[in-house]
Amino acid sequence: MTLTDTNPKTKNGATKATVFVDGGSGTTGLGIQERLNLLGDVTVKHIAEDKRKDAGAKRALMEEVDLVILCLPDDAAKETVALIDTIGNAAPKVLDASTAYRVAPDWAYGFAELAPDQADKIRTARKVSNPGCYPTGAIALLRPIVDAGLLPADYPVTVNAVSGYSGGGKSMIASFEEGTAPAFHLYGLGFEHKHVPEMQLYSHLTRRPVFIPSVGNYRQGMLVSVPLQLDALPGKPDGADLQAALAKRYAGSRYVAAMPLQNDASKGGKIEPEALNETNKLELYVFASDKHHQAVLVARLDNLGKGASGAAVQNMRLMLGLADT
């Protein structure tokens, strides 16, 4: 997915694309800022601290830039999008990192590897919603096997996941770093986690999945897993069939890799969550047992990389027509 247009149309005849990150003090915003600082083909515009909540000043700045990245709570993101909509033809493109628009039909979903034409949808969209970290892993695993007919859309899917504490916001980060948090805990046990709607929609599931997230006492890195009873699936596929569907979907992808089938019990069947930290990579595994007709699909990613800031910069470059780096 390499773009060749390294001279996108920019405002005011600028030689570089201009970007404004609104709400850059959280973990996602800081990660985006760090990545943007390493780029030589993007200029980042800033607003004075005392003007952050000044709608007029923010509107004036947004009129000058090519793209705005929103790293705000949902309600604040909606307010800013409404403000952008008043700008008219001078409005910048918008990339929203909140959950406010992830299932909105008039927004492009920012998982470029979702389908063969998804990168083009992002490239041409005025408004793109950056995916959630957990859904990125779950959708990457589920969508190809649903599309291939290996997993029925109404199958009772369960998604289990563990993340480093950096994905939980300032209060959670503080509790772990101060030593007041437990070593590990499940959460979302009220079955209303905000990531479930996008997980279901973009996986092409007609039945709402059961999603059980958890947090471990380490900073970042994520595993998302989906257990399957293979003899309960139509056609009774084996692990090789599942791995082949993943490999076909992500063939040639720069950031998403379908790893070789893991069906050798002698290797111990282990995987840890931190191996891809500080990258925009996503690895997909099939652990399978022919003896027991069972499999576990596992996605490994950095919840702050491909699960947040890394994906945002990847989407930004698509939206601005910049060459992939």
Side-chain angles (χ1 to χ4, degrees), residues 186-193 196 208 211-213:
L186 299 179
Y187 69 104
L189 296 175
F191 300 96
E192 296 294 343
H193 195 283
V196 173
R208 194 176 193 270
F211 174 48
I212 307 298

Side-chain angles (χ1 to χ4, degrees), residues 96-144:
D96 179 36
S98 79
T99 62
Y101 297 102
R102 288 186 184 156
V103 295
D106 53 341
W107 284 63
Y109 189 61
F111 181 29
E113 297 83 5
L114 177 69
D117 62 345
Q118 194 66 22
D120 286 334
K121 289 181 179 179
I122 296 167
R123 190 178 292 117
T124 59
R126 299 293 307 176
K127 297 176 178 179
V128 174
S129 183
N130 211 53
C133 50
Y134 291 125
T136 295
I139 294 164
L141 293 168
L142 291 165
R143 176 67 174 265

Side-chain angles (χ1 to χ4, degrees), residues 45-313:
K45 298 285 187 177
H46 299 279
I47 191 168
E49 184 64 25
D50 62 345
K51 299 291 186 182
R52 284 183 59 247
K53 296 185 179 181
D54 184 328
K58 191 157 74 169
R59 187 182 193 278
L61 176 60
M62 292 191 297
E63 288 178 346
E64 298 177 356
V65 301
D66 299 294
L67 184 141
V68 174
I69 303 176
L70 303 180
C71 301
L72 302 168
D74 286 11
D75 288 344
K78 291 176 181 178
E79 291 177 4
T80 303
V81 170
L83 181 62
I84 291 171
D85 287 342
T86 68
I87 297 175
N89 293 335
K93 291 188 173 185
V94 187
L95 175 61
D96 179 36
S98 79
T99 62
Y101 297 102
R102 288 186 184 156
V103 295
D106 53 341
W107 284 63
Y109 189 61
F111 181 29
E113 297 83 5
L114 177 69
D117 62 345
Q118 194 66 22
D120 286 334
K121 289 181 179 179
I122 296 167
R123 190 178 292 117
T124 59
R126 299 293 307 176
K127 297 176 178 179
V128 174
S129 183
N130 211 53
C133 50
Y134 291 125
T136 295
I139 294 164
L141 293 168
L142 291 165
R143 176 67 174 265
I145 63 174
V146 172
D147 287 353
L150 299 173
L151 184 75
D154 64 350
Y155 188 84
V157 169
T158 297
V159 179
N160 302 294
V162 60
S163 173
Y165 60 76
S166 58
K170 293 180 179 179
S171 61
M172 179 179 286
I173 292 171
S175 69
F176 275 95
E177 294 186 345
E178 292 168 0
T180 59
F184 175 88
H185 68 265
L186 299 179
Y187 69 104
L189 296 175
F191 300 96
E192 296 294 343
H193 195 283
K194 63 183 180 179
H195 284 168
V196 173
E198 64 180 296
M199 196 180 291
Q200 178 179 357
L201 178 64
Y202 297 110
S203 295
H204 278 177
L205 298 174
T206 58
R207 177 181 290 192
R208 194 176 193 270
V210 174
F211 174 48
I212 307 298
S214 61
V215 179
N217 190 13
Y218 64 99
R219 180 168 176 79
Q220 65 195 85
M222 172 174 285
L223 296 174
V224 181
S225 59
V226 179
L228 296 173
Q229 298 285 355
L230 298 181
D231 56 6
L233 300 178
K236 296 181 172 49
D238 59 16
D241 296 321
L242 300 174
Q243 195 279 335
L246 296 176
K248 181 178 179 181
R249 171 59 57 87
Y250 302 111
S253 173
R254 177 173 183 175
Y255 299 113
V256 183
M259 308 303 287
L261 177 64
Q262 308 291 307
N263 61 356
D264 186 350
S266 66
K267 294 182 179 179
K270 295 181 180 180
I271 186 169
E272 58 87 18
E274 299 177 275
L276 298 181
N277 284 2
E278 308 302 336
T279 78
N280 193 45
K281 294 181 179 180
L282 170 61
E283 292 178 345
L284 306 176
Y285 293 83
V286 177
F287 293 85
S289 168
D290 293 334
K291 176 182 177 181
H292 299 293
H293 307 289
Q294 294 174 321
V296 179
L297 312 179
V298 181
R300 175 162 61 185
L301 65 157
D302 180 357
N303 58 290
L304 298 183
K306 185 62 170 167
S309 305
V313 173

